[in-house]
Amino acid sequence: LEPLVPGSDLDVGELEATRRAAVRGRVVTDEGDPITGDGTVSTRSYASSCQIRPDGTFELPGLSTGTHKIRAWTGGEPPMYSEYVDLEIEGGRDVEDIVLVVQPTFVVSGVVLTSKGTPRSGKQVVVVPEGTPQPIAWTTVSVYPSQADGSFKATRLLKGRYLVGLVTWGEGGWVFEKDPKPQLVEAGTTGVELRVEIKGGLVRGVVRSKANGQPIEKFEVDQYKYKLIFPDWEGSEDIESSSGTFQVEVEQPGRWAFEVSAPGFAPLRSAIVTVKTGEETDLGEIRLGQAGSVKGRVTDYKGHGVGWTRIHLLNAKMQTNWAPPYTKPNGRYELKGIAPGTYTLFAVSPRHPLAMVRNIVVKEAVATRVDVEFKGSA
């Protein structure tokens, strides 16, 4: 590194460039016919990609020295994909005559249910080829969260047998849960059922508008499990109830909190409650009000705006804004849709020490101003 002095030139000397290689070849079906429709060839990391030519040939440019995985795929119904092909690039030398064979792809779909048949959303479903070792690296697999109705759908699978199951994140990657046991299915199987045994209890409550006391008929209940200090999100359930009442099944006993959200209202998280096996827990009446907001400006110790600072809000229930925004180049920021309550604001910038503002009170339909000053440079 050399300092650049205003008004002077800087000679960086000689720069050495390394030639990047190109990979050339053709894409064919498993019958050997060239692909003539729209299609793409790319590396696994998408660092380089190219279109397949009308005659089925391709040229993939810009590959650095090292090992690369490439594959081809085409549109249409069903889409067609090839297996990944490993390529070793040495010294910027081009690779010729690579053949990528595409095959029709399949879907594996199903539903996650509780032992009583209630749809279970937010569960992590993985579909991997038979014999895949565990833990499964996140870079080699797609995770399909179950939807509000419990459904999941894995697409773009090649012909073969696959293990389908729920996973948790462990040391080194994803690990299949023992309950329910993963199922072995053929590509193209639909209607797979993954049954989750409920070892916890039932949690119920009623949701009303804070403004007029009327029941809210459509809302969402998110479940958070507390293992240490910060909670883990364990799933959500969409509720439709003319009386505003709900009851959700909790998989495991322990310390839980439940966040209720509805269109036009600020989300509200319950206090932490202890759920016991086979018992009911009543959260009582939950009243949702309008959201507040927090806005302001982040400056350095000289009063200059600090851009690209990440803003976090955290309250006593460990409830925070889901997508912490960055400040604009002038240091200004705004957080919308914040539930009323008392928060601590954290401002995080790689160029400055952490800044913190305590006891910020957010009120309904009120924009609370919070300016932050970094006291020095990191």
Side-chain angles (χ1 to χ4, degrees), residues 40 42-49 69 71 73 81 84 156:
T40 302
S42 74
T43 60
R44 183 165 209 152
S45 63
Y46 293 95
S48 179
S49 64
K69 291 179 178 290
R71 81 183 314 182
W73 73 91
Y81 277 71
Y84 280 105
R156 302 180 301 186

Side-chain angles (χ1 to χ4, degrees), residues 213-233:
Q214 294 297 312
I216 297 174
E217 299 183 1
K218 296 182 69 173
F219 51 92
E220 182 177 331
V221 179
D222 289 87
Q223 300 183 18
Y224 293 87
K225 191 172 194 307
Y226 285 76
K227 297 178 181 177
L228 296 173
I229 298 177
F230 290 94
D232 292 329
W233 179 76

Side-chain angles (χ1 to χ4, degrees), residues 67 71 136 141 151 245 276 323 357:
T67 302
R71 81 183 314 182
I136 308 166
V141 67
S151 64
T245 59
K276 298 180 179 179
V357 181

Side-chain angles (χ1 to χ4, degrees), residues 38-364:
D38 292 335
T40 302
V41 175
S42 74
T43 60
R44 183 165 209 152
S45 63
Y46 293 95
S48 179
S49 64
C50 68
Q51 295 297 307
I52 302 173
R53 296 168 179 149
D55 62 355
T57 62
F58 70 90
E59 180 174 344
L60 186 65
L63 297 185
S64 59
T65 296
T67 302
H68 297 269
K69 291 179 178 290
I70 69 169
R71 81 183 314 182
W73 73 91
T74 69
E77 190 57 45
M80 301 178 72
Y81 277 71
S82 73
E83 299 276 7
Y84 280 105
V85 172
D86 290 331
L87 293 177
E88 191 69 33
I89 304 297
E90 298 180 354
R93 290 190 291 272
D94 295 345
V95 178
E96 306 286 348
D97 299 326
I98 296 298
V99 178
L100 300 177
V101 181
V102 293
Q103 307 170 38
T105 56
F106 300 87
V107 167
V108 168
S109 63
V111 64
V112 182
L113 304 171
T114 68
S115 51
K116 296 182 179 180
T118 304
R120 196 68 171 160
S121 65
K123 303 302 292 182
Q124 309 294 335
V125 182
V126 156
V127 181
V128 294
E130 179 184 13
T132 300
Q134 295 186 65
I136 308 166
W138 68 270
T139 54
T140 64
V141 67
S142 295
V143 178
Y144 306 92
S146 57
Q147 303 303 304
D149 60 356
S151 64
F152 67 89
K153 183 179 181 180
T155 59
R156 302 180 301 186
L157 303 176
L158 298 178
K159 187 177 180 180
R161 300 210 299 176
Y162 290 82
L163 271 178
V164 184
L166 305 183
V167 291
T168 54
W169 183 256
E171 185 176 350
W174 295 105
V175 178
F176 278 113
E177 295 184 9
K178 295 180 180 179
D179 177 30
K181 185 179 179 181
Q183 298 182 28
L184 187 61
V185 302
E186 294 286 344
T189 301
T190 59
V192 178
E193 283 193 5
L194 299 174
R195 293 271 179 169
V196 180
E197 183 180 353
I198 299 299
K199 298 178 182 178
L202 202 63
V203 175
R204 54 189 171 88
V206 59
V207 183
R208 298 183 183 276
S209 167
K210 190 175 182 179
N212 55 27
Q214 294 297 312
I216 297 174
E217 299 183 1
K218 296 182 69 173
F219 51 92
E220 182 177 331
V221 179
D222 289 87
Q223 300 183 18
Y224 293 87
K225 191 172 194 307
Y226 285 76
K227 297 178 181 177
L228 296 173
I229 298 177
F230 290 94
D232 292 329
W233 179 76
E234 296 290 342
S236 64
E237 192 168 329
D238 288 332
I239 307 292
E240 290 192 31
S241 169
S242 59
S243 61
T245 59
F246 70 89
Q247 61 179 23
V248 294
E249 295 172 299
V250 178
E251 289 179 28
Q252 301 290 337
R255 299 166 64 242
W256 293 79
F258 302 87
E259 185 170 299
V260 180
S261 57
F265 296 91
L268 183 64
R269 187 173 298 181
S270 73
I272 300 174
V273 296
T274 299
V275 176
K276 298 180 179 179
T277 301
E279 296 186 9
E280 289 192 8
T281 302
D282 190 354
L283 299 179
E285 195 173 84
I286 299 171
R287 291 192 172 239
L288 301 185
Q290 290 184 306
S293 63
V294 177
K295 64 180 180 179
R297 187 167 184 248
V298 178
T299 57
D300 61 18
Y301 61 97
K302 296 181 179 179
H304 301 143
V306 181
W308 299 107
T309 298
R310 178 165 277 191
I311 304 296
H312 298 262
L313 279 180
L314 188 69
N315 67 8
K317 299 175 183 176
M318 297 299 160
Q319 186 176 11
T320 186
N321 44 318
W322 273 104
Y326 290 98
T327 56
K328 295 179 180 179
N330 61 5
R332 297 196 178 276
Y333 73 91
E334 182 173 12
L335 305 174
K336 297 181 180 180
I338 305 301
T342 302
Y343 292 83
T344 298
L345 183 146
F346 298 90
V348 183
S349 168
R351 294 177 291 157
H352 304 85
L354 176 71
M356 179 171 58
V357 181
R358 298 178 183 272
N359 298 323
I360 299 167
V361 178
V362 177
K363 299 180 180 180
E364 287 188 50

